[in-house]
Amino acid sequence: MGTDTERTGAAATAERRREQRGWYFYDWACSVYSTSVLTVFLGPYLTEIAKTAADPEGFVHPLGIPVRAGSFFAYAVSASVLVSVLVMPPAAAAADRTGRKKPLLAVAAYLGAAATAGMFFLDGDRYLLGGLLLIAANASLAVSMVLYNSYLPQIAPPEERDAVSSRGWAFGYASGALVLVANLVLFLAHDTFGVSESTAVRICLASAGVWWGAFTLVPLKRLRDRRTVPSEGAPRGGLRQLAATVRDMRRHPHTLAFLLAYLVYNDGVQTVISQASVYGSEELGLGQSTLIVAVLLVQLLAVAGALTMGRFARVHGAKRVILGSLVAWTVTIGAGYFLPSGAPGWFFALAAAIGLVLGGTQALSRSLFSHLVPRGKEAEYFSAYEISDRGMAWLGPLIFGLTYQLTGSYRDAIVSLVVFFALGFVLLARVPVRRAVRDAGNPVPEKI
């Protein structure tokens, strides 16, 4: 009997490990979009397209609204969250009610991959097409990440979640670095390959969509849906479903308090990710190749940072490690204000500092939140979590864009983000995470 039990336990462990490895590969698949598209190429490229379409005063007029061309990309990122709010909550509620996450994950992933591949057709003055494809890709990524993240409590017991989440982020950053090297070769040697610089950029954008779609096949093969007890009612419309989720969270006020803290500091993180290349090119006068090398440095150091901070969390607990990272973010972004123009060395130093804390902040936030989610509501709660994740934050890009529109200075725009990290630290420090885990009905890990 003991032998049979051991064999059953070993088989279950092997199956769990196999599913975890398949889960990592969605980070591997979609992180290339976040890195090559959202962080490196699309911001400066779409800004240049908008400037080409701008009037003599430097404004474009989408839907008749005057928008400074330099702010268009930030506003498009901000607008994408409005679409995300409409589609994420009902998709998440449907996943929780039916237990069929994989089909929904497949639809979201391939819509996002197709929109990204379609960026190959951005040329001339097609800034509106660029904005629409960005919104479609970002919203699809948001839905897919809700479903992907909601697997974490199901595939990893409490004591494994920090490590599993950190490995997922590390896979994503490694993937981003690998593809970015190929992008850098194509971009720098575009003449050798017989293509123009703009064509090279469009190939890099489209290849991210192809990569995203191809490697999504791995998690779709290895992840499995869990049967659920059907609940009454159907998923509501986006805003109504989100309101219903928030009302349910009011029964778990400490979970809601953590989510509020996360929404604040992650808004700052995502805005730095999406706007750093614009800051480097427009304010510091750095070339595209310098920006690519800087982002590559971030990707490489983020792998080590995610794994290292995951180890720290085992000793000190995820909450303390996240708080330490927020202090580092505040100092780093404050220092970014003083970077001299035309000095890539200082920009590389800033990139290195960001890389060391970026992966760990994101990985540990995800694993910590997974402990605070009531069983059976994983996707629904992660839909609220995802609203401010992976570049979907709206307030940070809006403040960044408005600050630039009012002052004409990207330095003022970047330093305005410090408030998100400082306020996020204060809010997170006040959350009693052990009590929050117990109130959610979950076992409390030894270190959290």
Side-chain angles (χ1 to χ4, degrees):
M1 180 67 71
T3 301
D4 290 341
T5 301
E6 291 173 1
R7 288 174 179 170
T8 301
T13 299
E15 174 60 26
R16 187 172 75 249
R17 294 282 188 266
R18 183 178 185 276
E19 195 170 9
Q20 288 172 359
R21 287 191 292 270
W23 185 80
Y24 300 149
F25 266 91
Y26 192 68
D27 252 322
W28 177 273
C30 70
S31 291
V32 171
Y33 168 82
S34 297
T35 303
S36 290
V37 176
L38 195 61
T39 306
V40 177
F41 287 108
L42 189 58
Y45 185 66
L46 187 55
T47 299
E48 287 303 313
I49 292 177
K51 287 181 177 180
T52 300
D55 62 21
E57 285 74 37
F59 286 82
V60 290
H61 300 268
L63 303 178
I65 302 171
V67 172
R68 191 185 289 268
S71 296
F72 180 75
F73 175 69
Y75 288 154
V77 173
S78 183
S80 68
V81 77
L82 301 178
V83 178
S84 302
V85 166
L86 295 176
V87 295
M88 281 194 297
D96 283 335
R97 284 177 168 84
T98 66
R100 292 178 58 80
K101 295 179 183 179
K102 275 210 300 186
L104 292 170
L105 176 61
V107 170
Y110 285 108
L111 281 175
T116 306
M119 291 177 185
F120 178 80
F121 299 102
L122 296 182
D123 58 1
D125 59 357
R126 296 176 178 173
Y127 77 97
L128 276 177
L129 175 62
L132 291 174
L133 290 175
L134 168 62
I135 291 170
N138 273 0
S140 298
L141 179 66
V143 172
S144 70
M145 289 304 296
V146 167
L147 302 167
Y148 167 71
N149 287 337
S150 70
Y151 273 103
L152 180 59
Q154 298 177 336
I155 65 173
E159 65 275 9
E160 293 182 3
R161 282 186 207 163
D162 288 341
V164 169
S165 183
S166 296
R167 289 189 198 111
W169 279 108
F171 260 62
Y173 284 117
S175 169
L178 178 65
V179 174
L180 203 53
V181 169
N183 291 159
L184 184 60
V185 170
L186 175 61
F187 181 80
L188 294 179
H190 60 86
D191 288 335
T192 303
F193 291 100
V195 298
S196 66
E197 182 177 295
S198 63
T199 300
V201 171
R202 292 189 291 119
I203 291 172
C204 291
L205 293 172
S207 65
V210 175
W211 181 281
W212 184 356
F215 283 102
T216 295
L217 294 172
V218 178
L220 291 180
K221 180 176 178 61
R222 292 199 174 185
L223 291 173
R224 61 185 179 87
D225 286 333
R226 271 76 174 171
R227 292 184 178 180
T228 61
V229 177
S231 57
E232 296 181 359
R236 303 171 175 87
L239 295 176
R240 290 180 60 200
Q241 182 61 56
L242 180 60
T245 300
V246 172
R247 283 196 301 271
D248 187 76
M249 281 186 175
R250 291 175 64 182
R251 300 190 297 112
H252 304 282
H254 300 310
T255 299
L256 190 58
F258 171 82
L259 183 62
L260 176 61
Y262 174 77
L263 292 178
V264 171
Y265 69 74
N266 192 62
D267 213 335
V269 171
Q270 297 304 327
T271 308
V272 171
I273 291 172
S274 66
Q275 305 303 322
S277 60
V278 176
Y279 179 67
S281 63
E282 299 295 322
E283 183 67 38
L284 304 183
L286 302 176
Q288 188 74 56
S289 58
T290 299
L291 298 177
I292 295 174
V293 172
V295 174
L296 180 59
L297 182 61
V298 170
Q299 297 296 116
L300 292 173
L301 290 176
V303 175
L307 297 176
T308 300
M309 289 176 67
R311 295 189 185 98
F312 286 164
R314 288 202 297 268
V315 178
H316 303 290
K319 178 183 174 180
R320 289 183 178 179
V321 177
I322 295 171
L323 288 172
S325 77
L326 296 181
V327 174
W329 274 108
T330 302
V331 173
T332 300
I333 301 307
Y337 178 86
F338 299 99
L339 291 186
S341 299
W346 286 107
F347 192 70
F348 291 153
L350 182 74
I354 290 173
L356 289 173
V357 295
L358 175 62
T361 303
Q362 295 174 316
L364 295 179
S365 296
R366 177 169 65 183
S367 60
L368 181 55
F369 185 70
S370 73
H371 293 288
L372 312 183
V373 176
R375 186 171 299 179
K377 292 184 175 289
E378 292 88 358
E380 189 175 340
Y381 273 52
F382 268 110
S383 70
Y385 177 92
E386 187 62 25
I387 284 175
S388 192
D389 200 11
R390 289 277 186 161
M392 295 298 104
W394 62 273
L395 185 57
L398 181 61
I399 288 178
F400 186 94
L402 285 174
T403 302
Y404 174 73
Q405 178 143 341
L406 293 174
T407 68
S409 169
Y410 282 108
R411 292 185 186 273
D412 292 337
I414 201 74
V415 81
S416 69
L417 304 178
V418 167
V419 67
F420 290 95
F421 300 105
L423 181 58
F425 179 96
V426 173
L427 293 174
L428 178 59
R430 295 169 58 88
V431 178
V433 291
R434 288 187 171 276
R435 190 185 311 168
V437 176
R438 286 195 296 268
D439 290 350
N442 297 321
V444 182
E446 182 178 349
K447 293 288 185 179
I448 189 169

